[in-house]
Amino acid sequence: MASFIPCGPCGHDGNTQNAEKWCTDCNEGFCNVCEKAHMSLRITRDHNLILIEDYRKIENVNVCVQCEEHGSNLEMYCKRHEKAICIACLTTNHKDCSDAIIPLAEAAKNVKTSTALADLEHTISETLVNIQKCRNDREAATEQIEIQEKIIKKRIFDTRKTINKHLDDLERKLLNELTTVHTSCKSKYRTIQNQLNEKEKEIKRLQEQTSQLKRFAPDLQVFLRTHQINKEIQDEVKSITNALLFVSNYNIDIEIHQGITSLLKDVDYFARVKIDKSTITCPFKDEKIDQAQIQVQTKRSVHNTKLLLRKKIRIEQKGKTMDITGCAILANGNLLFAVKIWKNVLMEYDKDGLFVRNIPVSGEPWDLTVIDTDQIAVSYNDLNYIEVIDIKKMVVLNTMTLKYNCRGISYSDGKIYVVVDGRRIVVLDMEGTKLNTIKCDMNAFHIATIDDRIYYTAPISNTVKCYTTGGNRIWNFKDKSLTTPGGIATDSAKNVFVVGIRSNNLMILQDDGTVSKTLLTKADGLDKPARLYYNTETNILLVCNKCDGTIFSYSVMFD
């Protein structure tokens, strides 16, 4: 049953009436009478009223209209930070953004026909389609695992059957051999027994003759026969003795094959069940969903991008300038640098350029990337490994060893991307498991990633390249105005910042690689600029000269 929605003005007068219309400006219901009065007033004449039935469809949609930090109503919009703000925000987080502040109502104008809302609707539709595809993929995977179980069970049964048959054959062969040996031994025993029986009969016969001769024969016959019988007895004894020389005793036993013994003793499992994990190939990908109440262009023209210098600093230690090889902006706004100073450290400075601390590392760092508030990843070039480091606890969380040198490094969406040997980009998860390897130019150095895109610079060929995270090329950029491209970064609209080390400039490339704009040149202080870092949350861009230790901090503005 639908909940009761009262008329606001009637309730104020102590009456209870059902609301028939809902004012989205006043956020209040009106009965038919109060609706007419509401629409007759000049101040409320242009308010938007909808049917209560239509209001019920959006009644439970949660739209935050208050500032999470100050609790005040959101009234303004900062184009620089692309964020709705309250009045209190103007004097705190956005005091330097006066030229980028517009009324929230102006930002929200024509929002229902805006690109942001259309993209949101497209994103939702695509997400639902991707979810269904992934569900279908998981259902297919479930069916496949059922088939695999049946196949494995049959394989186990067949293997057991084969083993049983083999053992049966061996048993049959052994029993036949045992019967043959037993028969042979028994036959030999029986032969000698028969011979002994015959000799026994002969001896007994001679014994009987001797007895009879003694009783009845004359002495002469007894004398002669005695010598004859004695010779016959000796011959029989000699015959028996000679026969016994070739008689043996047999002891039948078996020697179990070592493989059978090992099977019983050492084999403690029939087989092991193995699980091979692999990354699923579902088409689902994370979509950055913009807030529908704010009109934000997802495609941002590079011609509308401007830079405002915030700070120019120079980092030194003991009066010696640095060779900067990597840079980043931490969550607290501090700056982190990888430098060649013959010491295995990262150097941390505050946003005003004051030295904070050295962070010890295991080797000479080549590049670094921020993972979260406390974690970073560092590459070590010729040492052939990268490390994930907790800079708050000052501990190495994981060391990931690769076959070749590790150069540019970037983090995005739970994955670490590292340029290895300048020929390939290796994709790793946070545990160090290799997820993918993407072939690239032999001279790839620096890398930037966002969503489903990978960007890298190839300084020898003076090229900037854009690939999907799956390894498919999207576009190449090459122009005579950009020589020896070095550091690279991307904004939230996938436009690309890149510095030319030899051309001494900073350029921004349109997200499709077709349009470019030069933002800074040697006249702005660039001298072999080699490294970049862009913070998409604060829209702050770091540009680092390679050899003189000069760092430029810019606010990136979008008209």
Side-chain angles (χ1 to χ4, degrees), residues 17 21 57 62 77 90 200 214 272 289 328 371 395 463 482 514 556:
Q17 292 288 338
K21 295 286 185 68
K57 297 176 183 177
N62 183 24
Y77 178 68
L90 285 172
E200 182 183 29
K214 183 178 179 181
R272 293 216 187 269
I289 302 176
I371 295 175
V395 295
T463 308
L482 181 69
T514 59
V556 181

Side-chain angles (χ1 to χ4, degrees), residues 217-255:
D219 289 345
L220 180 61
Q221 290 184 355
V222 171
F223 175 78
L224 293 174
R225 186 58 182 159
T226 297
H227 284 84
Q228 294 172 356
I229 291 174
N230 187 48
K231 185 179 183 303
E232 290 179 14
I233 290 295
Q234 289 178 0
D235 290 341
E236 292 296 335
V237 169
K238 185 177 180 180
S239 175
I240 293 172
T241 302
N242 289 336
L244 289 176
L245 289 175
F246 300 99
V247 173
S248 300
N249 283 331
Y250 300 102
N251 181 36
I252 302 177
D253 198 356
I254 61 171
E255 181 182 350

